[in-house]
């Protein structure tokens, strides 16, 4: 290690400059890396949308960050404890003097990790009830419009269209999407929700059945159909949905959320519609059976009618007894009318005998007496009611006066409390203002002291001198001083002019030799002084 006095002229770095230099060194040497490790400390996106966690293995750990925009575009989302392969660049964070990796892409480390992630996601979604059988809808028997969510360039859509053409041609709406790669899950979910958002009876017909189809592939190729956004969109679909992803042995999470799973896209088309020729045969068979049943029913009813007609009696026999009863009642009608007239006349005579003038006078006098008694009772009731109301109003007046007095006293007490509180707050504000002013004055005094301590004039006061050339620039080395050069030497108490000696040693001589300088004051002649060595370097 060199002695400390030899490091006096070494360049100084600020903390920010040193951190920037380290940041450039790390980013230049590790601009693009792939790191395999286990995610640790992940608690979901921060409130800002960024994700902060760490990647670790058996003996080391590195901090990691995923920016908000990158996280939104990721097909695989980071999860706690998942072993992944992260792609990104190394950088440093000056705020805490540590290095970290800024992740640009992330993928599970192998098929085992994918299966573990799939099982964990399956348990989570099943716990939410997205796979319950009660949520599943029945498929329409013969849909008018079928919506297909698949790639428009693959063989899947052609297989579906050919199978529908063979079985029962229907109108097909294709929503083209990516079925593999980044962004495919978002497109499939948007297609399912888009079909559900179509209005009934609109310009574009709303499908009666949806088919989400894709050909076979590896687990990584089919991973878009294991994403939560696709599974939730399939579970929320109000249109019955058939999942036809991969081959019969391929299982994805959308198969559990769909209303029906088809082993292949061709099988999905077979599930969607029946066979038209078989329907024609069945309809003809049902028509023949219906006609035979109708003919048998007509013949049976005709036989029943004939048997019932034979059992019915003749018309004269049916009307003989009613005609005899009518003749008997007709002969008794005159006698009944006379008897009824005599009975009503007797009743009228009895009622009219009771309607005399004395009876009317008695009823009028009774009614007048009842009216007088009712009037007296009404007068007494009104007087009692008026007295009760007057007593009630008097009590209310007393209570109102007492309430006004108590309310006024309460308001005075409240005003006094608020006045005391205002005075206390004013005193606290005054003390806070005095404290803040004292802190600011102390800060200004401290800054002045720090400025004085960092000023180069303090160095001059300790016996050092500052040498400048004719242009006023500081001289850092003896090699920069030419023969007979005019110099200005600044001391703590003033400046003096000096001239370098012409016969000074060459610049390549040993550093121990000191240049001779001639010192003169600008106006008055002063004793010659020996200049300070100029090879001590600048302090600034």
């Amino acid at each position: 290690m060199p002695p400390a006095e030899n490091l006096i002229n070494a360049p100084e770095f600020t903390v920010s400059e040193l951190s920037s230099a380290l940041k450039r060194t790390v980013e230049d040497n590790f601009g693009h890396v792939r790191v395999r490790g286990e995610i640790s400390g992940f608690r979901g996106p921060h409130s800002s949308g960024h994700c902060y966690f760490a990647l670790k293995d058996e003996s080391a750990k590195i901090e990691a960050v995923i920016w908000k925009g990158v996280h939104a575009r990721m097909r695989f989302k980071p999860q706690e404890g998942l072993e992944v392969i992260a792609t990104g660049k190394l950088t440093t964070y000056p705020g805490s003097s540590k290095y970290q990796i800024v992740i640009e892409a992330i993928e599970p480390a192998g098929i085992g990790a994918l299966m573990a992630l799939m099982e964990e996601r399956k348990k989570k979604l099943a716990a939410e009830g997205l796979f319950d059988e009660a949520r599943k809808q029945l498929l329409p028997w013969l849909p008018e419009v079928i919506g297909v969510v698949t790639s428009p360039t693959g063989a899947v859509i052609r297989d579906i269209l050919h199978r529908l053409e063979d079985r029962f041609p229907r109108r097909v709406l294709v929503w083209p999407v990516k079925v593999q790669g980044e962004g495919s899950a978002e497109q499939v979910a948007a297609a399912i929700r888009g079909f559900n958002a179509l209005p009934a009876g609109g310009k574009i017909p709303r499908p009666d059945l949806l088919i989400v189809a894709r050909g076979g592939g590896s687990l990584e190729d089919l991973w878009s159909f294991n994403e939560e956004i696709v599974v939730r969109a399939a579970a929320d679909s109000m249109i019955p949905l058939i999942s036809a992803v991969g081959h019969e042995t391929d299982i994805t999470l959308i198969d559990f959320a769909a209303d029906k799973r088809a082993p292949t896209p061709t099988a999905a088309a077979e599930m969607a519609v029946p066979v038209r020729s078989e329907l024609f045969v069945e309809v003809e068979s049902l028509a023949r059976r219906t006609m035979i049943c109708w003919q048998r029913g007509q013949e049976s009813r005709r036989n029943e009618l004939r048997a019932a007609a034979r059992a019915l009696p003749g018309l004269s026999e049916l009307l003989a007894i009613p005609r005899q009863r009518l003749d008997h009642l007709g002969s008794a009608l005159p006698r009944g009318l006379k008897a009824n007239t005599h009975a009503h006349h007797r009743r009228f005579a009895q009622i009219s005998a009771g309607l005399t003038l004395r009876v009317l006078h008695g009823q009028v006098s009774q009614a007048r007496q009842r009216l007088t008694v009712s009037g007296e009772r009404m007068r007494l009731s009104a007087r009692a009611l008026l007295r009760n109301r007057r007593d009630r109003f008097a009590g209310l007046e007393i209570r109102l006066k007492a309430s006004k007095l108590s309310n006024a006293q309460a308001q005075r007490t409240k005003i006094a409390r608020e006045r005391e509180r205002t005075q206390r707050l004013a005193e606290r504000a005054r003390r806070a203002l005095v404290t803040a002013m004292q802190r600011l004055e102390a800060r200004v005094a401290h800054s002045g002291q720090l400025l004085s301590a960092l000023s180069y004039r303090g160095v001059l006061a300790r016996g050092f001198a500052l040498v400048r050339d004719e242009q006023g620039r500081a001289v850092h080395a003896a090699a920069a001083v030419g023969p007979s050069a005019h110099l200005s030497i600044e001391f703590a108490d003033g400046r003096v002019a000096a001239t370098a000696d012409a016969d000074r040693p060459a610049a390549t001589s040993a550093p121990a030799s000191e240049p001779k300088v001639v010192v003169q004051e600008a106006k008055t002649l002063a004793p010659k002084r020996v200049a300070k060595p100029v090879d001590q370097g600048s302090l600034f």
Side-chain angles (χ1 to χ4, degrees):
M1 292 293 292
E5 53 271 11
N6 294 337
L7 298 178
I8 294 177
N9 296 325
E12 298 177 352
F13 289 100
T14 63
V15 177
S16 299
E17 291 174 348
L18 185 59
S19 298
S20 300
L22 292 174
K23 180 179 179 71
R24 289 193 299 271
T25 302
V26 172
E27 291 181 352
D28 291 343
N29 295 331
F30 301 95
H32 189 55
V33 296
R34 284 169 57 86
V35 181
R36 178 167 182 164
E38 179 183 342
I39 296 178
S40 175
F42 183 75
R43 294 296 182 268
H46 195 263
S47 59
S48 61
H50 310 315
C51 298
Y52 302 97
F53 54 94
L55 294 176
K56 68 175 184 178
D57 56 11
E58 293 81 2
S59 58
K61 181 174 71 172
I62 181 174
E63 299 295 329
V65 59
I66 302 177
W67 303 130
K68 177 181 179 181
V70 177
H71 182 264
R73 297 191 302 269
M74 280 187 171
R75 183 178 60 176
F76 296 101
K77 305 298 181 183
Q79 296 183 11
E80 177 68 21
L82 182 65
E83 186 177 5
V84 297
I85 299 176
T87 303
K89 62 180 181 178
L90 285 184
T91 184
T92 63
Y93 178 58
S96 59
S97 299
K98 63 183 180 182
Y99 67 96
Q100 61 186 8
I101 179 173
V102 179
I103 296 178
E104 299 173 353
I106 195 170
E107 55 184 325
I111 299 297
L114 287 177
M115 293 301 296
L117 179 60
M118 179 177 174
E119 287 300 323
E120 182 180 356
R121 188 172 294 171
K122 178 181 177 182
K123 292 178 182 179
K124 173 187 173 183
L125 298 177
E128 297 181 12
L130 298 184
F131 303 156
D132 292 345
E133 290 295 329
R135 297 174 56 95
K136 300 184 183 300
Q137 309 176 70
L138 296 178
L139 301 183
W141 184 72
L142 186 60
E144 291 292 333
V145 181
I146 300 176
V148 180
V149 180
T150 187
S151 173
T153 59
V156 172
I157 184 62
R158 292 194 294 270
D159 293 343
I160 293 176
L161 294 177
H162 292 164
R163 198 57 178 167
L164 291 177
E165 184 69 23
D166 295 340
R167 292 176 65 87
F168 205 119
R170 296 283 85 185
R171 184 173 182 181
V172 177
L173 297 178
V174 180
W175 193 302
V177 296
K178 291 173 58 178
V179 295
Q180 179 179 341
E182 184 176 352
S184 58
E186 289 75 8
Q187 292 187 17
V188 173
I192 297 174
R193 299 188 190 279
F195 273 131
N196 280 269
L198 292 176
K203 185 176 180 180
I204 300 177
R206 178 185 173 92
D208 301 315
L209 179 67
L210 294 183
I211 299 177
V212 180
R214 188 205 184 283
S218 63
L219 181 59
E220 292 85 351
D221 297 337
L222 303 179
W223 189 257
S224 299
F225 299 92
N226 292 322
E227 296 290 350
E228 283 192 34
I229 185 173
V230 175
V231 178
R232 294 185 185 277
D236 296 337
S237 176
M238 301 304 297
I239 303 176
L241 187 143
I242 298 177
S243 170
V245 179
H247 298 306
E248 188 169 0
T249 57
D250 297 325
I251 300 296
T252 57
L253 294 183
I254 193 177
D255 298 335
F256 299 98
D259 299 305
K260 195 74 173 177
R261 177 186 179 269
T264 60
T266 303
E270 295 176 356
M271 293 180 181
V273 294
V275 180
R276 183 170 55 178
S277 59
E278 295 178 358
L279 291 179
F280 285 158
V281 173
E282 185 177 357
V283 169
E284 292 177 358
S285 175
L286 292 176
R288 289 194 300 270
R289 291 175 61 187
T290 302
M291 180 59 66
I292 293 174
C293 291
W294 181 79
Q295 292 175 354
R296 289 178 180 175
Q298 291 295 102
E299 185 65 26
S300 175
R301 292 184 183 90
R302 189 179 293 110
N303 295 332
E304 291 177 359
L305 181 60
R306 290 172 181 171
R310 287 194 299 268
L312 288 176
L315 180 61
S316 58
E317 296 178 0
L318 291 175
L319 297 179
I321 295 177
R323 186 180 292 119
Q324 183 179 0
R325 188 164 54 249
L326 179 62
D327 294 341
H328 176 70
L329 293 176
S331 61
L333 182 60
R335 292 193 302 272
L337 291 176
K338 290 180 180 180
N340 190 25
T341 302
H342 289 307
H344 282 80
H345 187 270
R346 286 195 302 270
R347 184 179 178 188
F348 178 75
Q350 292 175 359
I351 293 174
S352 62
L355 295 177
T356 59
L357 187 59
R358 181 181 300 174
V359 174
L360 292 176
H361 282 300
Q363 292 179 353
V364 170
S365 59
Q366 290 178 1
R368 186 181 291 112
Q369 185 177 0
R370 288 197 302 270
L371 181 61
T372 302
V373 173
S374 299
E376 182 64 22
R377 292 177 60 186
M378 186 179 295
R379 183 177 61 81
L380 295 176
S381 299
R383 186 175 299 171
L385 180 62
L386 182 60
R387 184 168 54 253
N388 292 337
R389 291 291 175 86
R390 188 181 294 111
D391 295 341
R392 182 182 177 188
F393 288 154
L396 291 176
E397 182 180 4
I398 295 171
R399 291 175 59 189
L400 181 59
K401 289 180 179 179
S403 177
K404 288 174 62 179
L405 292 176
S406 61
N407 190 21
Q409 183 63 29
Q411 292 296 330
R412 292 192 193 96
T413 305
K414 182 178 180 182
I415 291 172
R417 286 199 304 268
E418 293 297 331
R419 184 183 294 111
E420 293 176 0
R421 183 170 177 268
T422 303
Q423 292 175 356
R424 289 196 303 272
L425 291 177
E427 181 62 23
R428 289 177 61 186
R430 185 186 64 79
R431 291 198 300 269
L433 180 60
V434 171
T435 304
M437 291 299 296
Q438 291 175 354
R439 289 179 179 175
L440 291 176
E441 290 175 357
R443 185 177 179 182
V444 170
H446 177 69
S447 299
Q449 295 174 1
L450 184 60
L451 181 61
S452 299
L454 297 178
S455 176
Y456 74 95
R457 296 189 181 277
V459 180
L460 297 180
R462 294 199 298 271
F464 291 89
L466 178 60
V467 181
R468 303 178 186 270
D469 58 9
E470 293 180 358
Q471 287 76 24
R473 296 189 297 267
V475 178
H476 300 281
V481 180
S484 301
H486 295 284
L487 305 174
S488 174
I489 302 176
E490 182 178 356
F491 297 93
D493 56 349
R495 295 185 180 183
V496 295
T499 303
D501 195 352
D503 56 353
R504 66 181 180 84
T508 57
S509 59
S513 62
E514 300 180 355
K516 297 181 182 180
V517 296
V518 179
V519 181
Q520 279 187 336
E521 288 186 346
K523 294 183 179 180
T524 61
L525 187 61
K528 293 185 179 181
R529 301 179 184 177
V530 179
K532 296 288 184 178
V534 296
D535 59 350
Q536 59 183 352
S538 175
L539 297 175
F540 311 100

